[in-house]
Amino acid sequence: MYQDAVVLCSASKYTQKFYLNPDFESLPEQVQQELKIMSVLFTEDVGGIIIFIFDKDGNLTITTEAAEEDILYDEIGAHLVIKRMRSEHRDLFMQLEQYYRTFFLDQSEE
């Protein structure tokens, strides 16, 4: 179904908005809310924009961006928060990857 990277969700400190890709609206409400909470708390804590992306192999990556003029964005803090997030939510992220591979890449569990 997908050949390239696909955005799962994102949040922005600048627009104060959360985005969930409509293709993932079938995720359980609890998962959607957890992603929203994680994303919004991240942007409130370190600023900028956080983006959850599935790569072409179904791996979930988390990237951040900041406006060049955003002097309050904490790049080092961003990496530390993402590292903590990956540790605390490891099971959720693994399940999201499996969900994506199964329903979007049509791969069976390996």
Side-chain angles (χ1 to χ4, degrees), residues 36-92:
K36 183 175 185 176
I37 291 167
M38 269 190 281
S39 300
V40 171
L41 287 177
F42 175 90
T43 59
E44 287 300 313
D45 187 22
V46 298
I49 300 169
I50 185 167
I51 308 166
F52 292 77
I53 303 170
F54 289 108
D55 67 17
K56 64 182 178 74
D57 297 320
N59 300 307
L60 184 63
T61 59
I62 305 170
T63 63
T64 64
E65 300 175 1
E68 191 172 316
E69 65 275 1
D70 186 354
I71 60 171
L72 298 177
Y73 177 73
D74 181 2
E75 188 172 346
I76 294 170
H79 292 291
L80 293 173
V81 171
I82 288 172
K83 185 176 180 179
R84 185 183 74 227
M85 194 184 303
R86 283 207 164 276
S87 174
E88 291 175 359
H89 300 282
R90 178 181 42 226
D91 290 341
L92 172 64

Side-chain angles (χ1 to χ4, degrees), residues 1-4 55-59 97 99-108:
M1 184 173 189
Y2 289 104
Q3 299 297 324
D4 298 316
D55 67 17
K56 64 182 178 74
D57 297 320
N59 300 307
E97 288 174 342
Y99 172 86
Y100 182 78
R101 288 180 183 126
T102 301
F103 294 103
F104 291 84
L105 297 180
D106 199 28
Q107 295 179 358
S108 60

Side-chain angles (χ1 to χ4, degrees), residues 8-9 18 20 24-39 52 54 60 89 91-93 95-97 99:
L8 168 61
C9 64
F18 172 77
L20 176 67
F24 296 98
E25 288 179 348
S26 63
L27 285 171
E29 184 65 30
Q30 181 180 359
V31 172
Q32 292 181 35
Q33 287 302 314
E34 194 164 348
L35 289 167
K36 183 175 185 176
I37 291 167
M38 269 190 281
S39 300
F52 292 77
F54 289 108
L60 184 63
H89 300 282
D91 290 341
L92 172 64
F93 294 148
Q95 291 171 350
L96 284 167
E97 288 174 342
Y99 172 86

